């Protein structure tokens, strides 16, 4: 525990550089990467929510539609695995996108138990708009933290995203 | 749009450095910071979930207990704001922690409509164990991505966490 104590101090000092005060003592939370990642993700999602409010599109729906758009005909299980979304949640989300006329479930070739996902014409048209909104959202994030910092984050975040995964994502 | 196209290419190249392939085309998702933050956060939480499984403690519960431990007597609204948790969700989470005998709601001095949160003796004892488990979890994350990368992430993530917030957290 002695070696760890000095490490804690270093991590804590690093956290203090960026962490705002506000009179609350966050104790060891300030040196928990999961907590700070969650706060950062929430802030970016807040901007996303307000940008996509008029379209009634949430981040997970945008991700699903994008993967279907870029890979038409993938099976449901392939899309949910690619995005790391649990099967049950995923099926409910696709149900909603289908009900809204954006996604179609076709019979999967050579596999009677599963469906191949494709965008409808309305889905394809909507994606054209969504990508433009998403690009402006991304630009706001880059402007807020600096283009260079924004650019540099991706490689490190993917490294973190692969922890415990043996290479898949 | 012409200036943005070149920026997209740069961001995409940065994403490719770290993003694994797997035969799926992620299209513009690879250059959406929110998406990659979410994947990174999910990976760190997966390690947290498995580390805290025996205690039946989720990340948000650990955060709440830590803030109450470090700031005994804070009002419910102060703790939920400090952690960015919506009021309704927060009350339900405190209900559960109270039912498990870890948290107590005392009458708030000078405010009959609200409660001051404190840990029970059992809650304080549990926190001693949880912080040790959390420290080992953090060490695994630091080992996986390198101590220096781990240390450097905090300032940038706090900068992102403050987007659109005018300084609070």
């Amino acid at each position: 525990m002695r070696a760890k104590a000095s490490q804690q101090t270093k991590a804590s000092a690093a956290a203090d550089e960026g962490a705002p005060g506000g009179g609350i003592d966050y104790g060891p939370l300030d040196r928990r990467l999961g907590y700070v990642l969650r706060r950062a993700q929430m802030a970016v999602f807040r901007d996303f929510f307000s940008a996509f409010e008029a379209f009634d599109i949430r981040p997970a729906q945008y991700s699903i539609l994008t993967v279907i758009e870029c890979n038409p005909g993938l099976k449901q299980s392939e899309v949910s695995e690619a995005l790391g979304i649990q099967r049950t949640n995923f099926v409910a989300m696709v149900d909603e996108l289908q009900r809204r006329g954006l996604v179609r479930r076709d019979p999967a070739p050579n596999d009677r138990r599963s469906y191949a996902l494709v965008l409808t014409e309305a889905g394809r048209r909507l994606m054209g708009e969504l990508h433009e909104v998403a690009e402006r959202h991304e630009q706001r994030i880059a402007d807020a933290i600096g283009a260079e910092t924004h650019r540099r984050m991706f490689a490190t975040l993917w490294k973190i995203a692969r922890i415990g995964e043996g290479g898949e994502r």
Side-chain angles (χ1 to χ4, degrees), chain A:
Chain A
M1 288 307 288
R2 211 161 285 270
K4 258 182 206 156
S6 90
Q7 181 155 358
Q8 275 185 21
T9 312
K10 257 199 291 177
S12 190
D16 289 346
E17 280 171 34
I24 305 264
D25 178 4
Y26 287 78
L29 274 193
D30 274 345
R31 47 178 195 272
R32 300 281 170 256
L33 192 65
Y35 174 71
V36 188
L37 274 169
R38 176 74 177 151
R39 297 304 301 255
Q41 178 249 305
M42 283 166 63
V44 175
F45 274 28
R46 267 195 302 275
D47 187 276
F48 187 102
F49 286 131
S50 86
F52 285 80
E53 198 177 13
F55 298 94
D56 190 20
I57 288 287
R58 298 187 304 275
Q61 293 174 316
Y62 174 70
S63 300
I64 293 171
L65 290 168
T66 299
V67 168
I68 297 175
E69 181 188 34
C70 297
N71 311 267
L74 274 194
K75 285 193 254 178
Q76 292 200 129
S77 55
E78 291 169 319
V79 179
S80 66
E81 265 169 48
L83 291 170
I85 302 175
Q86 287 195 335
R87 178 87 188 166
T88 324
N89 299 337
F90 182 79
V91 169
M93 287 192 269
V94 173
D95 283 346
E96 191 190 335
L97 296 172
Q98 186 174 27
R99 191 177 46 71
R100 289 169 63 175
L102 302 172
V103 163
R104 216 174 56 224
R105 283 174 162 118
D106 287 344
N110 311 322
D111 186 351
R112 284 164 45 193
R113 291 163 312 168
S114 65
Y115 292 106
L117 298 173
V118 288
L119 294 189
T120 62
E121 177 55 34
R124 275 195 299 276
R125 250 179 298 134
L126 179 66
M127 289 313 284
E129 290 187 80
L130 297 188
H131 290 314
E132 283 188 30
V133 175
E135 204 59 55
R136 289 195 294 271
H137 151 76
E138 201 63 47
Q139 193 60 52
R140 277 193 302 278
I141 304 301
D143 289 347
I145 63 174
E148 181 58 22
T149 302
H150 180 263
R151 198 189 61 76
R152 269 189 290 107
M153 286 297 281
F154 287 88
T156 311
L157 288 171
W158 275 123
K159 200 170 170 182
I160 298 172
R162 287 200 302 270
I163 291 175
E165 275 206 342
E168 14 142 6
R169 64 166 175 182

